[in-house]
Each structure stands twice: as structure tokens, then as C-alpha cells.
Amino acid sequence: MRVLGIETSCDETGIAIYDSDAGLLAHTLHSQIDLHAVYGGVVPELASRDHVQKTLPLIRQVLADVGLDKGEIDGVAYTAGPGLIGALLVGAGIGRSLAWSLGVPAVAVHHMEGHLLAPMLEDNPPPFPFLALLVSGGHTLLIKVEGIGRYQLLGDTVDDAAGEAFDKTAKLLGLGYPGGPAISRLAAQGDPTRFRFPRPMTNRPGLDFSFSGLKTFAVNTLAREGDDGQTKADIARAFEDAVVDTMAIKCRRALKETGLQRIVLAGGVSANRGLRQRMKQLGEALEAEIYYPRPEFCTDNGAMIAYAGWCRLRAGESATLSIDASPRWSLERLSPA
Ligand code: KG4
Ligand code: ZN
């Protein structure tokens, strides 16, 4: 079965074709970073308009790349939430209509399930059950995963998401958007011993996160110490170390509490090098296996949507003819597939 995947939940148009026999056939991505960078963050209306312009040409391009006709697609998967409503409706509208016109099933994919299953596209996919840390611009979720659609939420953020904390702190440091890669680059030049930021909510039980205080810590440090280049790099380093360490502490706790031996890291922040190094150490210390998607599939992409869509289509799921999107949608509401 060949599934076309369409991702338009935020600021990236991602298109891919997944073949259940041959694997991922093709994928392409158009990033809107240049469009939003001048505003310092995503402007939802501009995002929707850009998806309108890019989605169909990218679908045609991906089909041409692999020499397929649209009639050779057996199913269409589109991100139906969570995300920006206007942006989601573009992918849902195009995906649902295309499937109808081709006479094939369509399936509405949960964006975070896409992230969660992205490591399944790699050579060494994680077997169930596992612990998943999903860290993106909008979410910070620790989940016990027993199978597709069998998700138990163990921890969540009580305020900013991990990626959001990176983006906001980057803005305060005068760095560009998106903030995660910018902080990460600057942090590499920072002195890890000059400042120590707190590890929020680690000194009490539980698996929830809180990251908003770290940006206040960054602002106060900047005001106190001055904003020369080295100080900014040292602050970026202290911030990154605090976020990474906090996540590692919670993962360790979650592994112990659940008895699980495998962790999947996914979502944009899982591209972070410091996090990968820290999790590698944790894995070695606890004899746990750590799985990631390749870096380009950590951030938003169409491949993960095509794959997650296939998992649901093969279980017989398909969307009704109505074009629906859910800007807010809990992973726990998904059904097993
Ligand atoms: O998964 P994603 O592409 O989109 C959402 O679903 O939100 O994640 C985007 C987030 C942004 O907040 C971005 O700053 C962050 O991931 N990010 C990173 C890195 N690359 C992207 N954060 C830290 N380090 C990185 N290398
Ligand atoms: Zn995402």
C-alpha cells in the first residue's frame, strides 16, 4: 500500500510517500522560516497562505520524483491536529479532497503520534513497549507506549513546552527564530561552569515539567551580568544544560517507575546535540536503549505522517468525508490500531 503523507500543522509543508513493502519512497519539505523570521515567530495567517501555495506543487513534485501517477496512491494521510487551525485546514482540505477524487481512503493523523512513530522509519526501529519523550514547539510529553494508539500520559509541562522555552529564551538573547538551533549553536561556545540554572520540579516527586522560570532566570542573569557576546553564550549554555538535565532526570525517574528499558526521543527538540549526548549517558548508566529519528525527521516532516497514516489505514481506519481539524487534541484520546 502506498500512502501519501501531508503535514501542514505549523510552519513547514512536508510531503512524503510511504510504501508498506518498499518503505519510504520520497519526501520533501518546504520550511517557512524565512517568511516568519522577520516577525520573530510564526504568523498563523501567513503560514496558512503559504501552505495553500506550496502543498499541491510539492505533492506533484514528490510523485514526479518517484515516477508515480496520482492514481497509484492507495491512501492519503494528513495531519488533522494539534496545530494552527488555518494551517491544518489546508492539509486536511487538500488531503481529504484528493483522497475522495482518487477513490481511496483518507486518514486524519495526530501530529504527535507522527513524531512518536518517526523512529519506526529507521533501520533499527524500537519494539513496544517503550517510554517516549516528545519535545516540540508545542508539547513536552512523557508517555508510556504499549502499542500504536496505546498511550498513557505520565508527564506534561505545566507551562511552556521545551521548544517554546528555547524559542522565547533565544528571543530574549537577541537570537533569531527558530530559537532551538540558535541557542544550541551559541551554547557550544559557552562556559558550562559560569552559571548554574535550576532544574525545575526535580526536587519533588512526579514527572511533570515547568520551563517558564528558566527564561526569567536568563533575563535576570542578562540584566545582572551584561549582554556581551561571551555572557550570552554562557547563559545559552546554562539554559540548555538546565533543560537537558531536567529532561534526563525525569526520563530516569520514568524508566525506574515503569520498569521500561527503552526510550524514544522525538519532536524538534530531540535534534538537540546536548540532549542526545546526555541521553546516551543515561542509556549507558541504566542499560536502556535510546532511539531517535534521523535529525531531519525530529522536526516536522511529511514522512512521519505518511507512516503513522499507514499504521492506521492498515488497521482499517479512515476519515469520514467531512474536512475536520482539531487545534487541540489529546494523544490519550486516540484508539489502539
Ligand atoms: O517538532 P517541531 O518541528 O514542531 C512542532 O511540532 O512544534 O519542533 C519545533 C521546535 C522549535 O521550538 C525549535 O526551536 C525546536 O523544536 N528545536 C530545537 C532544536 N531544533 C529545533 N530545540 C533545541 N535544539 C535544537 N537543535
Ligand atoms: Zn512537530
Side-chain angles (χ1 to χ4, degrees):
M1 181 178 204
R2 286 194 204 101
V3 180
L4 174 72
I6 304 174
E7 157 61 36
T8 65
S9 68
C10 189
D11 58 348
E12 253 121 20
T13 316
I15 306 293
I17 302 173
Y18 180 80
D19 182 314
S20 53
D21 294 324
L24 188 63
L25 297 184
H27 64 98
T28 188
L29 187 83
H30 167 73
S31 165
Q32 301 177 353
I33 286 181
D34 292 345
L35 184 66
H36 302 295
V38 281
Y39 303 99
V42 179
V43 182
E45 181 59 21
L46 294 182
S48 313
R49 290 176 190 209
D50 200 59
H51 288 307
V52 168
Q53 290 182 342
K54 300 293 176 352
T55 306
L56 279 174
L58 288 177
I59 292 173
R60 284 194 197 100
Q61 180 205 314
V62 160
L63 286 169
D65 284 351
V66 286
L68 286 178
D69 181 77
K70 59 183 183 307
E72 293 173 280
I73 292 296
D74 306 306
V76 180
Y78 54 87
T79 305
L84 301 171
I85 185 66
L88 290 167
L89 281 171
V90 176
I94 292 175
R96 190 65 201 83
S97 312
L98 186 61
W100 178 77
S101 70
L102 297 173
V104 300
V107 65
V109 173
H110 191 293
H111 180 78
M112 298 312 290
E113 180 169 73
H115 277 303
L116 173 65
L117 298 178
M120 303 293 183
L121 290 163
E122 304 305 335
D123 288 341
N124 176 30
F128 299 112
F130 54 77
L131 180 72
L133 176 67
L134 301 184
V135 275
S136 68
H139 295 87
T140 310
L141 305 171
L142 253 180
I143 302 163
K144 182 177 178 184
V145 179
E146 295 195 87
I148 290 169
R150 296 173 63 203
Y151 309 133
Q152 185 192 345
L153 186 64
L154 305 174
D156 198 349
T157 180
V158 299
D159 43 52
D160 292 351
E164 186 181 1
F166 269 96
D167 294 337
K168 287 180 175 171
T169 304
K171 218 172 189 175
L172 295 168
L173 292 175
L175 305 176
Y177 153 86
I183 291 218
S184 189
R185 276 193 299 275
L186 190 61
Q189 297 153 33
D191 173 357
T193 60
R194 179 155 169 217
F195 305 119
R196 186 182 159 84
F197 284 17
R199 277 51 174 157
M201 296 182 71
T202 53
N203 57 2
R204 59 178 115 153
L207 295 168
D208 284 338
F209 300 89
S210 165
F211 291 118
S212 73
L214 290 176
K215 84 184 171 255
T216 315
F217 225 84
V219 177
N220 292 344
T221 311
L222 199 63
R224 194 181 66 236
E225 305 282 335
D227 62 355
D228 63 284
Q230 189 56 49
T231 299
K232 282 189 180 177
D234 297 342
I235 290 173
R237 180 59 187 258
F239 169 83
E240 187 180 76
D241 284 353
V243 173
V244 164
D245 204 32
T246 301
M247 293 195 290
I249 291 168
K250 297 281 167 153
C251 283
R252 167 188 280 269
R253 198 177 282 178
L255 285 178
K256 293 233 154 126
E257 285 180 13
T258 57
L260 293 169
Q261 297 263 285
R262 290 181 279 268
I263 304 189
V264 160
L265 275 104
V269 182
S270 69
N272 184 275
R273 277 189 44 223
L275 178 63
R276 287 177 173 239
Q277 276 164 10
R278 184 73 174 75
M279 294 306 294
K280 187 162 175 268
Q281 289 167 1
L282 182 71
E284 281 161 8
L286 297 183
E287 292 183 17
E289 309 263 5
I290 316 281
Y291 298 85
Y292 303 94
R294 70 194 83 165
E296 66 180 321
F297 292 166
C298 287
T299 44
D300 291 348
N301 64 85
M304 66 185 195
I305 302 304
Y307 181 81
W310 173 67
C311 293
R312 294 205 163 264
L313 285 167
R314 96 186 142 180
E317 243 178 72
S318 66
T320 65
L321 280 182
S322 63
I323 294 170
D324 293 323
S326 313
R328 298 176 71 81
W329 183 5
S330 163
L331 255 184
E332 285 189 304
R333 288 186 46 212
L334 295 181
S335 47

